[in-house]
Amino acid sequence: MEQVMANGVYLGSQYAMIALGLTLIFALMNVLNFAHGQMYVIGGFVTYTFYGQWGVPFVLALFMSCMTLAIIGALIERYLFAPVIKGSAREESTMLLAAGIAFLLDALILLIFGEKQRGVPKIVDGVFNWDFRLIMPYDRILICVLAILSIVAFIALMQYSKTGRALRALAQDRTAAQLMGVNVDRYSMIGFALGAMLAGLVGGLLVTITGVNLGMGGPTSIKAFMMVMIGGAGVISGAIWGGFILGFMEAFGLAYLSQYGDITYLLIFVSLMIFLAIRPQGLMGKPWG
Amino acid sequence: MQRRSLMKAAATAATLAVFGATTAAAENPVLKIGFVGVTSGPAAAWGISNQRSMEARAAWINETGGYTIGDTTYDIEIVSFDDQKDPKRAIAGMEKMAQEGIHYVVGPNVDDGAAAVRPVAEANDIMYFPYAFPKELYSAPASNAVLGMIANYQSGPAIYKHLMENEGVKTVAFIAANESDPLSQRESGVAAAKELGLEVVSDNVTYQVDTTDFTPVLTPILRARPDLLVLSGVSPANAPQLIRSARELGFQGMISTETAQDAGVLAEGAGDLANGFISVGGASTPELASPMMNEFVERYTAMFGEYNDESNTKVYALEYILETLKATPGAIEDVAAFQASMDDFSAPNPYMNGDEQLTYVGMTSFGQKRQIAVPLVVNVYQNGAFETMFIARVD
């Protein structure tokens, strides 16, 4: 049980971080960013290039990953999403655009970084072993702590900074925020860049454990959507809850159901369907959206 | 007016340049060889090594004047189609090959794709060379598919037997991804292990293809404390993570797979934790590799920046097709002639030292010669590189 709980916390913290960026972008712009997983993959590859290939210190490589994704996110918002949102009232337009960006990023990743699985040297060696009841490599513990600290820092930023207040105002009511003097265009771009930066941050952190490859983007996006649906689309606390719930469900399923074959995700999806039928707005979402 | 003249001149120059390039490239007639396989998504590494091997070899042939079959020297053109590991797209790819009049196709890379294209290939007189293991594709009445590699039911028993005799392995556990190829390989692996007298202590744990953290998946298996952990059909992307998680969880036994892996990927993803990992290798160890194989590796690396270890197996399919056509020139348009020639076909193997021959095999596994003969090389990973564990042959 100790091992299962530890796995749940570890998986939950990384999943929550993945979901945070996605839900932030959804809250600000009502855009389902299908390319979020690909942004995560780019984050992993940037850290791989700087830390794994060029020997740059890990922290600096992580910073480069965040900056790269923030710039990519800002450019995507300014030159792709913003014009489409202004020119089309239909939500399908942004969804199709997001899907197109996902394919484009996949192609670019293949061209720039190749098709192979990539990994980086461990940032911390050794394994914590409590009498074989709880085994956890130190690098996982470190990444878990960093992920939780990042989540706390993000919440603090959203809660107490001027930017955070503007972003929250934008998410609550775009028109009202504009009337109150919030520069909507500017903060939309900042919000999208921040969401993309979170994808870059988690990609950079997790490449030290899971490695990275071209094909990880799509499945990562799907998991992120599941977490957002569980917690409530567009709600920051919902994304965190969704991440930890999915992490614990996965850890329990793999520990106790594996002898029945690979039914963990089957049960997770069935549970999600039933849950959404009862509470379509998710745990923390409002009934009206 | 001036601008229009300038544009006209530019258009004329561009047309002439394109025409000139086409004429230069079209000195020899072109022989098209197809490739239908996965070159995107998580399994992209498998298909890309196929496609790039073919493109590197074709470029080499064309650069050195073309390939002579009968009285004609051809330039080789590789026509590729990414099936995205989707059987429906694999069928579309094979139909595209048929529309282009192509009779020889390499791929698909996975079981369901290879099975899906069979009716299209047979209806359109296409010989295809899958990297997939279902025996019914290669056994009569099927006749158009030729297995392009060593199957797991050929390599698995050889590996287990070797480990039983030399390492005292008595118990084994299997883990596979939850999709058709790895599951099928797990089933045949379990059957082979039982037949050899190994005790199978775990054979039902699977993982999602997109899993990135294997610690929770492996925990229940490792409680069974097997001597050998078999990663059935594991992809190069998943292998390092599985090995790393198993070792970090304290597993001291042996780990093996029947799929080919990439030493660089293992080094980056698992480092020294991968030492001792056993896998089926490419077809060319340093001792086996001829100067031509070494030149192939150099050319591939120059073209694509980085070599893929699997490609020394995947260079063979194109070579077999061309050499068989050279031996039977009429087979360029007549697949029946190609099939008729397979039983007696033999040509020097340019990629191996010594007097090795290119021949078709498969009598034991399929009852007919529907497999290309590449050596069964079993490798063990040690400190960033593969060392040859043993070499065997398949009939």
Side-chain angles (χ1 to χ4, degrees):
Chain A
M1 180 54 82
E2 294 88 348
Q3 183 71 54
V4 178
M5 296 301 287
N7 288 343
V9 171
Y10 165 72
L11 288 172
S13 60
Q14 56 169 279
Y15 286 169
M17 277 194 71
I18 294 171
L20 267 181
L22 184 70
T23 212
L24 175 66
I25 290 169
F26 182 81
L28 291 175
M29 309 179 68
N30 209 22
V31 164
L32 279 173
N33 183 21
F34 293 114
H36 196 71
Q38 279 72 15
M39 291 175 168
Y40 157 88
V41 171
I42 292 174
F45 272 118
V46 171
T47 301
Y48 163 78
T49 306
F50 279 91
Y51 173 57
Q53 293 291 98
W54 297 345
V56 171
F58 176 70
V59 175
L60 188 55
L62 197 59
F63 176 75
M64 292 307 295
S65 170
C66 292
M67 286 300 104
T68 305
L69 265 298
I71 291 166
I72 290 173
L75 292 175
I76 286 176
E77 195 281 335
R78 172 53 54 95
Y79 295 108
L80 296 174
F81 277 108
V84 170
I85 289 170
K86 277 180 186 153
S88 169
R90 298 179 69 98
E91 287 180 7
E92 305 92 287
S93 307
T94 54
M95 288 168 68
L96 283 171
L97 175 63
I101 292 170
F103 286 120
L104 173 70
L105 293 182
D106 260 339
L108 290 175
I109 292 166
L110 177 61
L111 280 173
I112 298 168
F113 299 107
E115 80 285 6
K116 288 187 180 181
Q117 165 81 12
R118 297 299 187 191
V120 299
K122 285 164 78 76
I123 46 176
V124 188
D125 282 325
V127 178
F128 173 78
N129 187 338
W130 175 31
D131 199 24
F132 286 97
R133 290 167 68 185
L134 198 169
I135 303 171
M136 188 63 78
Y138 288 127
D139 58 352
R140 279 166 205 259
I141 297 171
L142 178 64
I143 294 301
C144 183
V145 170
L146 288 176
I148 291 170
L149 286 177
S150 304
I151 291 169
V152 172
F154 175 76
I155 292 171
L157 174 84
M158 292 299 286
Q159 204 65 35
Y160 302 113
S161 72
K162 185 186 166 197
T163 304
R165 280 196 294 272
L167 291 175
R168 280 190 291 132
L170 210 60
Q172 281 170 16
D173 192 322
R174 205 174 175 85
T175 311
Q178 196 165 17
L179 290 171
M180 291 295 115
V182 174
N183 184 335
V184 169
D185 288 345
R186 185 171 160 221
Y187 279 100
S188 290
M189 191 173 79
I190 290 172
F192 205 104
L194 196 57
M197 192 181 87
L198 281 171
L201 175 65
V202 71
L205 284 174
L206 290 182
V207 72
T208 63
I209 293 173
T210 65
V212 64
N213 67 66
L214 165 72
M216 289 167 81
T220 303
S221 289
I222 291 171
K223 277 190 180 174
F225 284 125
M226 285 172 67
M227 293 175 252
V228 167
M229 295 314 291
I230 292 171
V235 185
I236 301 293
S237 55
I240 297 168
W241 274 107
F244 276 97
I245 289 170
L246 184 68
F248 273 93
M249 287 173 88
E250 200 174 291
F252 272 91
L254 292 171
Y256 296 111
L257 302 173
S258 61
Q259 64 268 37
Y260 305 111
D262 190 16
I263 61 169
T264 298
Y265 261 87
L266 174 70
L267 290 178
I268 288 174
F269 271 109
V270 170
S271 311
L272 182 61
M273 285 156 63
I274 295 169
F275 171 71
L276 288 179
I278 298 165
R279 195 176 166 84
Q281 72 271 29
L283 273 181
M284 313 296 283
K286 293 185 177 69
W288 55 88
Chain B
M1 189 66 184
Q2 269 183 338
R3 186 190 291 173
R4 185 179 287 179
S5 302
L6 189 65
M7 285 174 72
K8 251 187 197 173
T12 311
T15 311
L16 283 173
V18 170
F19 181 74
T22 314
T23 338
E27 280 173 1
N28 292 327
V30 171
L31 175 61
K32 292 181 179 179
I33 306 291
F35 167 71
V36 176
V38 50
T39 54
S40 59
W46 286 336
I48 285 176
S49 67
N50 254 129
Q51 185 182 335
R52 289 182 171 177
S53 298
M54 294 172 75
E55 287 172 351
R57 179 65 183 127
W60 186 3
I61 290 169
N62 297 342
E63 186 188 313
T64 47
Y67 200 89
T68 304
I69 297 171
D71 299 327
T72 312
T73 298
Y74 296 92
D75 280 339
I76 308 300
E77 182 186 338
I78 306 301
V79 180
S80 299
F81 186 93
D82 176 14
D83 67 16
Q84 298 174 3
K85 209 157 162 267
D86 176 350
K88 296 190 294 298
R89 281 188 58 84
I91 291 171
M94 202 57 99
E95 283 168 346
K96 171 186 156 72
M97 299 301 154
Q99 283 161 9
E100 293 212 18
I102 294 171
H103 290 285
Y104 298 94
V105 173
V106 176
N109 301 93
V110 294
D111 289 6
D112 46 8
V117 302
R118 180 180 166 186
V120 183
E122 291 180 349
N124 292 284
D125 274 341
I126 293 174
M127 289 297 293
Y128 63 112
F129 290 64
Y131 290 76
F133 299 153
K135 285 187 177 178
E136 58 272 20
L137 289 176
Y138 313 108
S139 308
S143 60
N144 287 46
V146 181
L147 176 56
M149 62 191 296
I150 304 286
N152 75 304
Y153 39 77
Q154 296 165 334
S155 58
I159 294 172
Y160 308 154
K161 193 163 182 282
H162 180 88
L163 295 180
M164 287 171 78
E165 289 170 356
N166 296 284
E167 307 290 342
V169 167
K170 291 185 173 61
T171 58
V172 59
F174 290 82
I175 182 168
N178 189 28
E179 63 174 356
S180 59
D181 282 36
L183 292 176
S184 140
Q185 292 188 39
R186 183 189 67 183
E187 295 312 310
S188 51
V190 169
K194 285 180 178 169
E195 199 172 317
L196 286 166
L198 281 169
E199 183 191 349
V200 179
V201 295
S202 175
D203 64 355
N204 58 3
V205 173
T206 57
Y207 56 89
Q208 290 284 327
V209 182
D210 56 4
T211 302
T212 50
D213 185 0
F214 292 94
T215 305
V217 183
L218 282 165
T219 310
I221 303 180
L222 300 184
R223 286 203 192 101
R225 295 179 182 271
D227 297 331
L228 171 66
L229 173 64
V230 177
L231 315 178
S232 299
V234 68
S235 71
N238 287 341
Q241 307 308 323
L242 276 159
I243 294 165
R244 180 168 159 174
S245 293
R247 292 296 182 218
E248 286 177 341
L249 284 168
F251 179 63
Q252 303 283 328
M254 310 196 78
I255 309 177
S256 78
T257 183
E258 289 101 35
T259 48
Q261 300 296 321
D262 186 305
V265 170
L266 289 169
E268 282 184 359
D272 289 345
L273 294 176
N275 282 349
F277 173 59
I278 298 159
S279 68
V280 172
S284 197
T285 65
E287 308 82 52
L288 293 178
S290 67
M292 188 162 156
M293 177 62 92
N294 294 330
E295 186 173 349
F296 166 72
V297 175
E298 282 170 22
R299 284 175 176 270
Y300 183 110
T301 310
M303 265 181 92
F304 302 112
E306 185 180 15
Y307 188 64
N308 188 317
D309 282 352
E310 282 193 59
S311 294
N312 49 31
T313 300
K314 288 174 171 168
V315 67
Y316 273 100
L318 178 61
E319 208 68 37
Y320 266 88
I321 292 168
L322 296 177
E323 283 290 332
T324 312
L325 292 176
K326 187 195 271 184
T328 315
I332 285 185
E333 293 295 335
D334 182 3
V335 161
F338 189 97
Q339 291 173 353
S341 71
M342 290 171 74
D343 281 342
D344 301 321
F345 168 78
S346 174
N349 184 339
Y351 296 111
M352 285 175 71
N353 286 322
D355 301 324
E356 296 295 326
Q357 297 287 303
L358 301 175
T359 57
Y360 291 95
V361 296
M363 291 303 290
T364 304
S365 297
F366 314 122
Q368 59 178 351
K369 290 189 174 180
R370 285 296 182 275
Q371 180 176 10
I372 65 175
V374 292
L376 165 54
V377 177
V378 177
N379 285 331
V380 59
Y381 176 89
Q382 206 67 44
N383 300 324
F386 285 124
E387 294 172 3
T388 307
M389 196 172 188
F390 65 90
I391 298 169
R393 287 179 193 287
V394 171
D395 172 15

